[in-house]
Amino acid sequence: MVAPKMSLRWDLALLALALACFSAGFWRTWPGAAGLDEAPLGPVFLKAGIASMGLVGFAVRWEVLAPLLLRRLDGLLLVAVCLCSAAWALAPAIALQHGILLLLVWVFGIAVAARLSAVDLAFTAAFAGLFALLAQLIAARGLMPLAALDGDLTLALCGALWASAASATWRWAWLAWAVALIALALGLGDLVSLMAAGVGIVTAGLGYGLRWISARRPWTPIDIAVTLACSILTVTLLALFTPLALSSDSFGAINWIGYGFGVAGSSISEGFGQGLGMLGLGLAGLWAIVTSVRLALDRRATDTDGALLFGLWCAGLATLLLAPTEVSVLGPWVALLAGLSFGVGMCPLVPAQRPSPAAPVRAGAQVRGTYPTAPMPAPPRPETRNRLT
């Protein structure tokens, strides 16, 4: 694996800055915006405008991305329910606004993952985490409180570790930055960031081991999928459905459809727990299980790239589950996970051109410096010997 090309560095920097604009630290730099819920309408419109740029990248590769969307109905169903929750929400305007923003963030993540390869996506995530932390430092004028991190420190740490593993040229620089972030997390007492990074490292090794074993033993994908589905289902059910009080009303009864997406708040627990109730938790769990199995078994890239993508996916899920009140449902983590959920970050999507039958002959003739000639006629077969009767 090599570092990104020089011509792509400005492109990666702009994409990283756009991804960092979804973080909480960026919006705290605006006057009068103490948090995501208190942000004025101007930054919210600008946030929607940045996310809508993903529609341009999606429209450019419509013929390639449309079949992927039709095959991933679990993620589309989750976003569709968030939009349709405005029909029964206590505040329909707020639910519709957050549903549209989630759709734009989802498309933005898909467009970014479809545009970049695994190595370029690692650099983008690392720089996005760096920009988000700088925004936090500027907004707080020093060390930010632990409750205001919104997963930005976790994003920066996971991105630094991912970039150090994906790049041989800048490996030690990203490792030094990761060590500094670990020291910052220990100083702030942010154990969630360290636990999420540890989950990402362990699952990346697990993904690499599964690929190594499946390449040397005659295991069927069904056997591996059943094993992973059972384990991930157990972990997801324990992590998602433990805080059932998040989706309960004042009488203690479980709310099955919620109060409307984004009505109770913009965090993960408030958006899916109180916003969509048991319906949203079930759809989110289904989306997480299906995507985890797909990323663990996807062999379209090299074993190392696929294992690192699987590790980042698990680290992102750990961030959303371990710190549900600190991560926004419209933040950079959700944008990254939305792109990875379709598995398009393995390699850049380029429409394949079907070669003509004479293309290999012409290509070989240009290399040898000769012109294609007519095929030699095959010698006639010998006549059958007449047998004496």
Side-chain angles (χ1 to χ4, degrees):
M1 291 181 291
V2 295
K5 298 179 181 179
M6 291 292 294
S7 59
L8 292 178
R9 289 186 177 179
W10 287 107
D11 189 11
L12 295 180
L14 291 177
L15 285 176
L17 181 60
L19 190 63
C21 288
F22 296 103
S23 62
F26 179 80
W27 297 111
R28 291 190 178 95
T29 58
W30 290 77
L36 293 177
D37 296 333
E38 296 82 7
L41 291 179
V44 173
F45 291 155
L46 182 59
K47 181 177 182 178
I50 294 174
S52 63
M53 294 302 296
L55 296 174
V56 179
F58 189 85
V60 171
R61 298 185 176 184
W62 170 259
E63 69 282 356
V64 180
L65 293 177
L68 293 176
L69 291 178
L70 295 178
R71 290 196 299 265
R72 295 308 316 275
L73 296 179
D74 50 346
L76 292 180
L77 182 60
L78 179 61
V79 178
V81 171
C82 293
L83 283 170
C84 296
S85 65
W88 65 80
L90 299 179
I94 297 178
L96 183 61
Q97 174 187 350
H98 283 80
I100 294 175
L101 284 176
L102 179 62
L103 177 62
L104 293 178
V105 170
W106 201 275
V107 175
F108 179 82
I110 296 174
V112 170
R115 166 68 178 83
L116 302 177
S117 62
V119 180
D120 296 338
L121 191 60
F123 275 80
T124 303
F127 280 110
L130 175 62
F131 293 152
L133 276 185
L134 288 178
Q136 290 275 13
L137 292 174
I138 294 175
R141 296 179 181 179
L143 293 178
M144 71 293 292
L146 182 61
L149 290 178
D150 196 62
D152 294 342
L153 181 57
T154 311
L155 176 65
L157 179 57
C158 294
L161 294 175
W162 189 17
S164 64
S167 172
T169 305
W170 302 96
R171 177 168 300 168
W172 295 108
W174 286 115
L175 281 178
W177 172 239
V179 171
L181 292 177
I182 291 174
L184 178 61
L186 291 176
L188 295 176
D190 188 10
L191 300 180
V192 173
S193 300
L194 302 179
M195 292 177 64
V199 168
I201 295 174
V202 172
T203 52
L206 176 62
Y208 186 82
L210 287 175
R211 285 167 169 79
W212 186 85
I213 294 175
S214 62
R216 288 162 176 81
R217 290 188 58 182
W219 285 9
T220 61
I222 297 178
D223 299 334
I224 304 176
V226 170
T227 304
L228 289 176
C230 293
S231 59
I232 295 174
L233 178 62
T234 304
V235 175
T236 306
L237 290 178
L238 292 176
L240 285 179
F241 295 102
T242 298
L244 290 179
L246 296 176
S247 58
S248 303
D249 53 18
S250 57
F251 298 98
I254 296 177
N255 193 342
W256 294 97
I257 59 176
Y259 309 119
F261 179 69
V263 174
S266 60
S267 65
I268 294 294
S269 61
E270 294 169 345
F272 291 107
Q274 299 179 6
L276 298 179
M278 293 295 297
L279 177 62
L281 291 177
L283 291 177
L286 177 64
W287 167 67
I289 293 170
V290 173
T291 305
S292 300
V293 174
R294 289 184 70 255
L295 288 177
L297 301 178
D298 201 340
R299 298 298 301 272
R300 289 180 295 171
T302 61
D303 292 344
T304 304
D305 291 339
L308 293 177
L309 285 172
F310 181 62
L312 179 71
W313 168 261
C314 294
L317 289 183
T319 304
L320 300 183
L321 296 176
L322 295 175
T325 58
E326 300 178 6
V327 182
S328 173
V329 76
L330 303 175
W333 265 120
V334 176
L336 280 176
L337 296 183
L340 293 180
S341 64
F342 285 85
V344 295
M346 291 290 187
C347 57
L349 291 177
V350 179
Q353 298 180 359
R354 182 176 299 177
S356 59
V361 179
R362 293 176 182 174
Q366 292 177 0
V367 173
R368 292 189 301 268
T370 59
Y371 292 94
T373 58
M376 295 293 294
R381 298 180 61 183
E383 298 180 357
T384 305
R385 180 181 301 176
N386 296 327
R387 296 184 178 179
L388 297 177
T389 60

